[in-house]
């Protein structure tokens, strides 16, 4: 089991990563916060060893996704107006806000794959393992997610008269 | 600023709550405290029973009962019957948003020896050596949504019985077939307005499942069901109730699947999607030989990396030339086996030869009047082969193609009395009619098991990162097939959509019959 100091160090370093994965999945800040707490509690209780930093991060994301799946399976969850949440954030430009809103409008399977691929930099094979789906499915989710994202942002640009994404 | 940077900057604005760590430490301390005064498991059930009695008097005007009835020849319908005034009876449109429906908190009070929580799961348990594919998995659903009460159908019911679990009405059913989770138990908790569904793995026997259920600690959790999901559930219950009454499933609950779907409509939709039911042609006009160039379409845009592509030009023509196809019972034709699917890399004997597989033909039923699956024929000891296809892809356009996803596929196409059509391998007994087939030992026509052109750096994958005008790349792709499939196999390429081509029009190259 980790020492309190080691746990605190890891938790502070990775709790935003866990939160972002959970938020991508759950589309709710409250749910993502709950899941982040549950995941960190599991880390606190974890008695195994981690081979490396990447092993630890992989473990955290895997546990986060499993927590999200459990939460979604029961349909018992909280909902939140994404626009309100996005507006509460300090985004550098309206483009950033638009992108987050567009990503959050994608189905969960697409937005989680896109987040892991483009933000966390995981390869499709790694995402496949994290999500427990075939690699080909991840590739499809990425392609379809990107296509939908592109269309949403293009439509938004047409309506808003802004620069194309 | 690149779009990848935009994406990273956007998500970097998301942060967990500031008090996350404090809350975690508080939860850890509370759990430690609870552990010290842990009550015997049976107490939980007794408390639940007491709660039932208390709530029974509080909700005297209504009485809920778990009801089961036969459905078709093989199925069983499980539902909740409400007698009397329904306390939660509010219309979705008005008061439902003000009504709180909470999920169940469920912890195990007893576990079979060696069974433990699945990694990262709170309500799933299994034996580690069984690979977390069985054991127990729990879920809770609203017993009464206000507009409808719980309703479900289980197919292929082999045996069933009504039980009382900790004073609660329960129903156990075991299903036929080789499913991983072949048993279910429904337990009603009227006092919590919930039905607990216990999915039970094939590696657990009935008595163990009952003992596990009797020792479950169940209380009201802090999860709430929002109005949208509540409404969805209510519609689903109503759809299911209608299905039970009429035998026709009309899907009003899921907007994505369309507002109305009868069984016939759903079957027609699936038939339409099934490559075996489309693309009968009088001629294989899109057939090409090895060494011949032909055009294909690729999904070539990447909004994260290239914002300049006009959305009207999502698809771009490239030229493909298949330069070689080899069929071997080992991996010797592959250029670099480090790119081989990890699972398949180890599935060779001491001589590096691929194993044999038994090919099964299965008839699918509905699980209600006909069994879900029946094996009607087998092709035993089918040798597996690696089909290695080498292709050269050239950009004939005037603009660099970026992040072009590529997918090679194999399809069985043969000349029939009606023309060229997608086929399945013939079973041993040609008189046997079959709907589907699968191979128990691998070899079903499936995704690429090998591809050796990958996106460099951290994001590997089946993508061509950049291909400038007049430039070419060479890719080798590998597929595992059974010997019975050889003879009618054709290689083709489509975009990243793995569901197959809309039609036979993307260019097909015959695979030599070994």
């Amino acid at each position: 089991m980790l020492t309190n100091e080691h746990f605190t160090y890891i938790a502070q370093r990775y709790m935003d990563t866990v939160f972002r994965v959970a938020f991508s999945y759950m589309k709710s800040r409250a749910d993502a916060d709950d899941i982040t707490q549950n995941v960190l509690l599991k880390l606190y209780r974890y008695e195994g060893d981690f081979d490396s930093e990447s092993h630890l991060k992989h473990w955290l994301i895997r546990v986060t996704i499993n927590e999200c799946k459990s939460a979604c399976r029961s349909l018992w969850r909280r909902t939140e107006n994404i626009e309100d949440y996005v507006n509460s954030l300090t985004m550098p430009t309206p483009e950033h806000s638009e992108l987050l809103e567009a990503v959050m409008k994608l189905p969960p399977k697409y937005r989680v794959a896109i987040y892991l691929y483009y933000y966390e930099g995981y390869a499709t094979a790694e995402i496949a393992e994290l999500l427990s789906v075939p690699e080909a499915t991840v590739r499809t989710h990425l392609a379809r997610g990107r296509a939908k994202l592109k269309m949403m942002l293009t439509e938004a640009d047409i309506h808003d008269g802004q620069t194309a994404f | 600023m690149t779009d990848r940077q935009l994406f990273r900057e956007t998500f970097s604005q998301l942060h967990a709550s500031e008090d996350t760590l404090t809350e975690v430490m508080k939860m850890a301390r509370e759990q430690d405290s609870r552990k010290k005064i842990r009550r015997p498991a049976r107490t939980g059930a007794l408390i639940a029973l007491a709660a039932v009695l208390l709530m029974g008097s509080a909700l005297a005007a209504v009485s809920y009962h778990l009801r089961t009835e036969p459905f078709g020849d093989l199925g069983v319908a499980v539902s909740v019957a409400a007698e009397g005034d329904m306390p939660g009876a509010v219309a979705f449109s008005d008061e439902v948003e003000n009504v709180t429906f909470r999920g169940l908190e469920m912890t195990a009070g007893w576990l079979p020896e060696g069974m433990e929580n699945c990694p990262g799961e709170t309500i799933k348990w299994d034996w580690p050596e069984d690979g977390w594919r069985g054991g127990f998995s729990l879920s809770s659903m609203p017993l009464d949504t206000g507009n409808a009460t719980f309703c479900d159908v289980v197919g292929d019911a082999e045996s069933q019985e009504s039980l009382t679990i900790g004073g609660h009405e329960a129903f156990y059913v075991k299903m036929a077939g080789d499913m991983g989770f072949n048993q279910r138990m429904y337990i009603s908790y009227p006092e919590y307005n919930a039905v607990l569904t216990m999915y039970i793995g094939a590696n657990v026997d009935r008595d163990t499942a009952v003992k596990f259920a009797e020792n479950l600690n169940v209380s009201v959790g802090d999860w709430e069901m929002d109005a949208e999901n509540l409404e969805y559930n209510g519609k689903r219950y109503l759809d299911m109730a209608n299905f039970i009454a009429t035998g026709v499933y009309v899907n009003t609950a899921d907007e994505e699947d369309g507002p109305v779907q009868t069984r016939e409509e759903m079957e027609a939709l699936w038939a339409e999607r099934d490559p075996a039911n489309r693309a009968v042609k009088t001629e294989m006009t899109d057939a090409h030989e090895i060494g011949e160039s032909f055009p294909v379409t690729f999904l070539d845009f990447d909004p994260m990396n290239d914002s300049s592509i006009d959305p009207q030009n999502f698809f771009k023509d490239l030229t493909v030339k298949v330069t070689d196809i080899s069929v071997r019972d080992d991996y010797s034709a592959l250029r670099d086996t480090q790119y081989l699917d990890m699972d398949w890399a180890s599935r060779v004997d001491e001589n590096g030869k691929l194993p044999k597989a038994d090919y099964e033909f299965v008839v699918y039923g509905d699980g209600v009047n006909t069994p879900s699956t029946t094996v009607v024929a087998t092709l035993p000891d089918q040798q597996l082969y690696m089909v290695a296809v080498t292709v050269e892809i050239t950009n004939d356009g005037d603009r660099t193609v970026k992040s072009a996803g590529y997918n090679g596929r194999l399809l069985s196409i043969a000349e029939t009395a009606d023309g060229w059509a997608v086929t399945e391998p013939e079973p041993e007994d040609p008189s046997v009619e079959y709907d589907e087939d699968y191979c128990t030992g691998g070899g079903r026509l499936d995704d690429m098991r090998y591809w050796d052109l990958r996106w460099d750096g951290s994001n590997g994958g089946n993508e061509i990162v950049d291909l400038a005008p007049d430039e070419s790349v060479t890719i080798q792709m590998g597929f595992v097939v059974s010997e019975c499939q050889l003879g009618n196999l054709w290689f083709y390429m489509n975009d990243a959509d793995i569901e197959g081509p809309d039609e036979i029009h993307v260019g097909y190259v015959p695979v030599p019959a070994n």
Side-chain angles (χ1 to χ4, degrees), chain A residues 2-165:
Chain A
L2 300 168
T3 62
N4 272 358
E5 292 72 25
H6 196 188
F7 167 75
T8 305
Y9 168 77
I10 294 172
Q12 285 174 337
R13 186 172 167 84
Y14 287 109
M15 67 183 183
D16 281 349
T17 299
V18 171
F19 175 82
R20 286 165 193 155
V21 173
F23 183 75
S24 298
Y25 210 114
M26 305 302 294
K27 206 175 164 180
S28 154
R29 178 176 37 179
D31 285 339
D33 269 331
D34 281 355
I35 283 167
T36 304
Q37 289 174 12
N38 288 341
V39 171
L40 293 181
L41 191 61
K42 283 182 193 300
L43 175 69
Y44 184 80
R45 298 275 179 231
Y46 186 66
E47 293 183 354
D49 295 321
F50 295 107
D51 302 333
S52 61
E53 190 89 5
S54 63
H55 179 206
L56 163 68
K57 188 178 174 188
H58 185 95
W59 184 91
L60 283 169
I61 293 178
R62 184 68 184 263
V63 172
T64 305
I65 286 165
N66 283 338
E67 282 285 312
C68 292
K69 283 180 180 173
S70 292
C72 286
R73 196 162 47 224
S74 68
L75 291 180
W76 300 95
R77 51 198 294 196
R78 301 182 182 94
T79 56
E80 183 177 34
N81 185 317
I82 289 298
E83 284 184 28
D84 290 347
Y85 177 47
V86 172
N87 289 336
S88 75
L89 299 170
T90 315
M91 287 289 184
T93 69
E95 262 184 303
H96 293 79
S97 302
E98 269 177 29
L99 177 60
L100 183 58
E101 282 183 34
V103 171
M104 286 303 135
K105 282 176 185 166
L106 295 172
K109 59 191 177 188
Y110 297 159
R111 57 180 189 251
V112 174
I114 280 184
Y115 171 77
L116 292 172
Y117 190 77
Y118 284 102
Y119 189 86
E120 296 294 344
Y122 279 109
T124 51
E126 293 171 304
I127 298 171
E129 197 191 333
L130 285 166
L131 300 176
S132 301
V133 297
E135 193 180 346
T137 305
V138 173
R139 293 197 296 271
T140 302
H141 288 175
L142 283 172
R144 290 180 182 169
R146 288 189 307 224
K148 281 176 180 282
L149 202 55
K150 177 76 178 174
M151 284 173 197
M152 279 193 282
L153 291 170
T154 305
E155 282 171 12
D157 290 341
I158 290 167
H159 291 307
D160 299 345
Q162 293 175 356
T163 310
F165 178 74

Side-chain angles (χ1 to χ4, degrees), chain B residues 216-295:
Chain B
L216 270 174
N217 300 313
V218 178
S219 58
V220 175
D222 63 352
W223 295 101
E224 293 177 10
M225 180 166 281
D226 56 80
E228 190 183 331
N229 280 336
L230 192 65
E231 185 176 357
Y232 172 82
N233 263 27
K235 283 181 182 173
R236 214 169 55 151
Y237 293 169
L238 289 172
D239 289 349
M240 197 56 79
N242 186 56
F243 179 50
I244 293 166
T246 65
V248 176
Y249 187 66
V250 181
N251 186 349
T252 59
D254 197 333
E255 289 176 10
E256 250 187 43
D257 280 354
V260 177
Q261 283 187 341
T262 63
R263 181 187 169 86
E264 287 71 23
E265 284 169 333
M266 288 170 75
E267 283 179 349
L269 192 65
W270 279 107
E272 198 178 294
R273 290 176 180 172
D274 185 352
N277 291 314
R278 60 166 111 98
V280 174
K281 296 166 64 98
T282 52
E283 289 181 61
M284 271 302 284
T285 50
D286 303 307
H288 305 275
E289 296 299 323
I290 293 174
E292 181 187 343
S293 295
F294 56 92

Side-chain angles (χ1 to χ4, degrees), chain B residues 311-371:
Chain B
Q312 299 303 314
N313 292 325
F314 280 179
F315 292 91
K316 190 173 186 67
D317 286 340
L318 298 176
T319 299
V320 163
K321 180 166 72 177
V322 175
T323 58
D324 183 67
I325 300 180
S326 76
V327 182
R328 298 184 190 172
D329 62 359
D330 57 25
Y331 298 140
S332 59
L334 300 179
R335 299 194 299 193
D336 190 343
T337 51
Q338 69 162 312
Y339 297 118
L340 187 58
D341 178 295
M342 279 177 66
D343 187 31
W344 279 99
S346 59
R347 287 164 78 170
V348 289
D349 64 16
E350 64 274 14
N351 299 315
K353 301 290 184 190
L354 278 154
K356 292 187 173 181
D358 292 327
Y359 209 94
E360 288 189 343
F361 297 86
V362 174
V363 169
Y364 288 127
D366 57 14
V368 174
N369 290 309
T370 53

Side-chain angles (χ1 to χ4, degrees), chain B residues 3-50:
Chain B
D3 291 317
R4 182 181 290 275
Q5 195 178 343
L6 176 67
F7 197 92
R8 293 185 67 85
E9 285 182 0
T10 301
F11 268 84
S12 66
Q13 299 301 317
L14 304 180
H15 299 287
S17 294
E18 289 175 1
D19 59 355
T20 295
L21 210 46
T22 314
E23 284 297 318
V24 171
M25 298 312 287
K26 188 175 153 197
M27 286 157 70
R29 279 196 298 275
E30 283 173 359
Q31 282 190 359
D32 287 343
S33 159
R34 274 211 301 271
K35 271 184 184 171
K36 287 173 191 162
I37 56 166
R38 196 169 188 172
R39 289 183 288 267
R42 178 69 72 174
T43 312
L46 292 174
I47 288 170
L49 176 59

